[in-house]
């Protein structure tokens, strides 16, 4: 039994924690656990705010780890390495004793947007885009500036700030560090200097000392402490060897590592993430460029990220609020949506109801439904229009990426979340015109594979994907593409009327 070589991957989302163990020798997942079974609590004390207690993430790390060890009869000493994927852009602040000082300001919190916009204009848009490849926007650096301005006494107690994955790594190893990819996602990174964005920190009056030491995504990030090992049921000294934000990690989990390769995901938010080898940017910062997980001095790799906040969360809202008895399933929703034709008989949904949207230059005008006729339309029309609206939003951003010079012919995605819906997949390929490849993987599997690379168990990244299985390929058709693009034109007119 002890001869087995297993890899453990954690995916810290805003809805749940997923934990997976894969067999390092075969590359196959042998078990997964998710905690909680319902969505984690998100606090919105004021409009546009979104916070979570980092200790809650740790509690569900513990629960999911225990569940998977018990469920699959795995011994803690069989785990050779641990990898972490996490929700991007969150801010965790700790004091000198590593105690959390306030709830984490997470990715969909909009409070710092005006701070970032002001910095963008004060520093100069050209300086920001050429050096940071992004507007400071609503990212982690701007969230820290908000704390400095609005909670000065608390700010003075901060010893280090972290991203959500850095916090979990700290809980595992008692060591505080981050990654260059992580610093770039917080707009703490100067791509021209290949180092910390001191220009923005100086502008915000923030000391570089608050930032943790930056490591590579793959490598030795510390060893499991005695206390963490006892709490989790794992072996003391087990190395943590990989860390990445959820979207770079989703791309990694799909073996998207080279220029021209593209990954997608459609969970709470929807993302298209494409790889380039030159530091490039959108002049309006509607899509964002970050350091990819396999970036190094010899082979530059950057990820261009398009994000739509209102994706799976819109579908979830409809499920909760359309079912009179609260029992409407996603499968039933897909069935109902498929009963009406492409274009939803004139009903359109703008899915922008989850904070400021980057593709709309950080505007937040909420979600809206138009074209609804009480005598003709049913819940089926609304359900289909919602899925189409999500796809149309992704296509709107898709075109921004193509205008940067990216040629997107094939998109890879995990068979999960919105991509479980046949209707969503059909709308996606026929609106974008891209071929869709679906794989049997997810973020926690990607984190486990990354741990194997970082620990040297795999000699190369390609070896880590021997167990990756392609389960379906969906191609666009000329007839349906014409129908979807006609529906997109109506949707776009509705969006333009609000911009």
């Amino acid at each position: 039994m002890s001869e087995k070589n297993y890899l453990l991957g954690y995916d810290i989302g805003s809805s749940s924690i997923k934990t997976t163990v894969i067999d390092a020798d075969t590359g196959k997942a042998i078990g997964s656990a998710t905690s909680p079974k319902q969505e984690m609590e998100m606090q919105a004390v004021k409009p546009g705010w979104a916070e979570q207690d980092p200790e809650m993430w740790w509690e569900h790390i513990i629960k999911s780890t225990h569940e998977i060890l018990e469920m699959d009869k795995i011994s803690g000493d069989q785990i050779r390495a641990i990898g972490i994927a996490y929700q991007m852009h969150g801010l965790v602040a700790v004091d000198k004793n590593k105690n959390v000082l306030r709830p984490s300001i997470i990715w969909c919190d909009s409070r710092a947007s005006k701070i970032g916009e002001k910095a963008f204009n004060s520093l100069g848009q050209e300086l920001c885009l050429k050096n940071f490849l992004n507007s400071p926007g609503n990212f982690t650096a701007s969230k820290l500036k908000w704390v400095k301005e609005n909670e000065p006494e608390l700010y003075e107690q901060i010893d280090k700030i972290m991203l959500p994955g850095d916090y979990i790594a700290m809980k595992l190893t008692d060591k505080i560090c981050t990654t260059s990819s992580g610093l770039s996602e917080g707009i703490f990174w100067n791509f021209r200097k290949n180092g910390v964005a001191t220009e923005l920190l100086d502008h915000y009056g923030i000391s570089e000392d608050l930032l943790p030491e930056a490591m590579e995504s793959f490598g030795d990030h510390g060893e499991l402490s005695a206390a963490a090992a006892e709490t989790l049921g794992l072996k003391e000294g087990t190395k943590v060897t990989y860390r990445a934000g959820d979207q770079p990690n989703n791309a990694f989990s799909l073996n998207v590592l080279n220029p021209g390769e593209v990954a997608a995901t459609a969970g709470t938010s929807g993302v298209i993430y494409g790889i380039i080898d030159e530091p490039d940017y959108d002049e309006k910062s509607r899509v964002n460029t970050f350091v990819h997980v396999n970036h190094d001095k010899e082979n530059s790799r950057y990820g261009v990220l398009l994000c739509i906040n209102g994706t799976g969360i819109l579908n979830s809202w409809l499920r909760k609020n359309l079912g009179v008895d609260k029992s409407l399933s996603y499968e039933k929703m897909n069935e109902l949506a498929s009963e009406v034709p492409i274009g939803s008989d004139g009903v359109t949904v703008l899915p922008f109801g989850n904070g400021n949207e980057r593709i709309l230059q950080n505007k937040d005008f909420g979600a809206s439904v138009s074209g609804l006729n009480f005598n003709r339309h049913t819940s089926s029309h609304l359900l289909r229009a919602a899925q189409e609206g999500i796809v149309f939003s992704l296509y709107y951003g898709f075109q921004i990426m193509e205008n940067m010079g990216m040629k997107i012919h094939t998109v890879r995605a995990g068979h999960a979340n919105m991509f479980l819906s046949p209707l969503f997949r059909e709308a996606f390929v026929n609106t974008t015109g891209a071929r869709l490849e679906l794989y049997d993987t997810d973020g926690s599997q990607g984190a486990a594979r990354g741990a194997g690379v970082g620990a040297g168990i795999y000699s190369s990244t390609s070896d880590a994907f021997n167990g990756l299985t392609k389960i379906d390929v969906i191609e666009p058709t000329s007839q349906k593409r014409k129908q979807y693009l006609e529906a997109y034109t109506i949707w776009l007119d509705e969006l333009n009327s609000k911009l």
Side-chain angles (χ1 to χ4, degrees):
M1 187 174 181
S2 60
E3 295 178 359
K4 286 288 187 180
N5 293 305
Y6 291 147
L7 300 167
L8 176 64
Y10 292 118
D11 186 5
I12 298 101
S14 50
S15 298
S16 64
I17 308 297
K18 186 166 185 182
T19 301
T20 293
V21 171
I22 68 170
D23 186 320
D25 299 320
T26 65
K28 297 294 186 181
I30 63 168
S32 293
T34 300
S35 183
K37 302 309 177 187
Q38 301 297 322
E39 294 180 0
M40 283 192 293
E41 184 179 10
M42 188 184 298
Q43 297 290 339
V45 179
K46 295 183 180 180
W49 288 25
E51 298 181 341
Q52 287 184 322
D53 179 4
E55 188 62 28
M56 175 178 64
W57 306 330
W58 178 241
E59 288 172 4
H60 291 297
I61 287 278
I62 296 169
K63 290 179 180 178
S64 61
T65 304
H66 288 173
E67 181 180 341
I68 199 169
L69 293 176
E70 293 167 6
M71 176 174 58
D72 294 289
K73 307 300 182 185
I74 298 166
S75 171
D77 63 7
Q78 295 174 316
I79 304 296
R80 301 289 177 249
I82 299 170
I84 301 168
Y86 61 89
Q87 50 172 300
M88 297 171 72
H89 315 306
L91 172 67
V92 180
V94 299
D95 63 18
K96 291 182 178 180
N97 296 316
K98 300 187 178 74
N99 295 317
V100 174
L101 291 167
R102 69 171 331 281
S104 174
I105 304 174
I106 67 171
W107 62 277
C108 55
D109 187 296
S110 304
R111 76 184 72 180
S113 296
K114 290 183 179 179
I115 291 173
E117 183 180 355
K118 184 179 179 182
F120 193 39
N121 293 321
S122 298
L123 281 168
Q125 296 186 12
E126 184 176 2
L127 182 149
C128 290
L129 292 174
K130 286 189 174 180
N131 290 280
F132 316 145
L133 305 188
N134 304 285
S135 162
N138 192 42
F139 295 107
T140 316
S142 300
K143 291 169 181 171
L144 181 56
K145 173 63 172 175
W146 182 93
V147 173
K148 186 176 191 292
E149 287 185 351
N150 293 275
E151 300 173 347
E153 292 182 2
L154 184 148
Y155 179 84
E156 290 301 318
Q157 300 176 57
I158 298 175
D159 180 60
K160 293 294 180 185
I161 64 103
M162 291 176 278
L163 297 158
D166 303 333
Y167 171 77
I168 294 301
M170 182 198 78
K171 295 291 286 186
L172 291 169
T173 66
D174 205 35
K175 175 182 176 180
I176 297 178
C177 62
T178 189
T179 65
S180 54
S181 179
L183 289 180
S184 76
E185 77 179 63
I187 319 301
F188 291 115
W189 193 254
N190 186 312
F191 288 77
R192 302 299 170 186
K193 296 190 306 185
N194 208 35
V196 173
T198 52
E199 302 88 345
L200 182 60
L201 291 179
D202 291 344
H203 179 76
Y204 279 162
I206 293 170
S207 171
E208 187 178 342
D209 292 340
L210 296 185
L211 301 182
E213 176 189 5
M215 321 285 286
E216 297 302 320
S217 295
F218 303 98
D220 186 354
H221 295 182
E223 297 180 351
L224 202 60
S225 69
E230 183 178 0
T231 299
L232 295 168
L234 300 176
K235 183 181 179 181
E236 181 182 355
T238 304
K239 289 186 179 295
V240 177
T241 54
Y242 171 77
R243 191 180 324 169
D246 51 10
Q247 299 311 324
N249 177 71
N250 180 65
F252 173 75
S253 72
L254 293 159
N255 198 16
V256 169
L257 296 167
N258 298 306
E261 296 176 344
V262 180
T265 184
T268 302
S269 62
V271 169
I272 307 291
Y273 185 96
I275 310 302
I276 57 176
D277 57 4
E278 294 290 337
D280 199 2
Y281 55 87
D282 170 53
E283 291 184 354
K284 296 181 180 179
S285 202
R286 294 167 297 178
V287 297
N288 303 104
T289 306
F290 305 119
V291 174
H292 195 35
V293 295
N294 61 330
H295 173 83
D296 58 42
K297 292 179 181 179
E298 288 73 34
N299 296 289
S300 297
R301 294 291 183 268
Y302 307 98
V304 179
L305 186 152
L306 149 70
C307 180
I308 304 297
N309 289 348
T311 303
I313 194 170
L314 166 59
N315 220 31
S316 174
W317 186 90
L318 288 169
R319 183 181 67 83
K320 293 173 184 175
N321 290 282
L322 281 185
V324 176
D325 59 359
K326 307 298 183 184
S327 62
L328 186 64
S329 68
Y330 289 119
E331 292 80 6
K332 183 63 176 177
M333 289 167 65
N334 293 334
E335 181 184 323
L336 290 170
S338 299
E339 293 175 356
V340 297
I342 295 169
S344 306
D345 195 17
V347 179
T348 62
V349 172
L350 300 181
F352 309 119
N354 191 29
N356 293 22
E357 292 285 0
R358 292 176 222 164
I359 65 161
L360 306 180
Q361 295 180 260
N362 275 329
K363 290 184 175 68
D364 179 10
F365 49 67
S368 61
V369 181
S370 64
L372 195 63
N373 184 299
F374 299 141
N375 297 311
R376 194 168 78 249
H377 295 130
T378 66
S379 59
S380 294
H381 293 89
L382 183 59
L383 290 167
R384 180 168 193 128
Q387 292 203 32
E388 290 179 346
I390 293 165
V391 168
F392 294 160
S393 302
L394 289 168
Y395 183 53
Y396 182 83
F398 205 87
Q399 293 173 299
I400 296 170
M401 297 173 77
E402 289 187 324
N403 288 337
M404 290 175 61
M406 297 182 68
K407 303 300 181 185
I408 305 175
H409 303 294
T410 300
V411 176
R412 299 176 192 168
H415 190 234
N417 300 315
M418 295 293 292
F419 282 106
L420 291 170
S421 164
L423 188 152
F424 184 84
R425 299 195 298 261
E426 176 195 286
F428 182 86
V429 298
N430 287 292
T431 302
T432 64
R435 179 176 185 262
L436 177 64
E437 296 179 351
L438 289 176
Y439 291 83
D440 184 16
T441 190
D442 59 27
S444 58
Q445 286 190 45
R449 294 181 195 279
V453 174
I457 292 171
Y458 299 124
S459 59
S460 67
T461 52
S462 60
D463 289 344
F465 295 99
N466 289 334
L468 184 64
T469 303
K470 185 191 298 183
I471 58 176
D472 202 359
V473 175
I474 300 98
E475 303 267 8
T477 64
S478 56
Q479 182 180 1
K480 285 188 176 180
R481 179 154 169 72
K482 180 176 182 293
Q483 292 176 285
Y484 275 106
L485 289 179
E486 287 173 353
Y488 173 73
T489 299
I490 296 170
W491 181 92
L492 183 61
D493 287 343
E494 181 64 24
L495 173 62
N496 286 333
S497 72
K498 295 182 178 295
L499 292 178

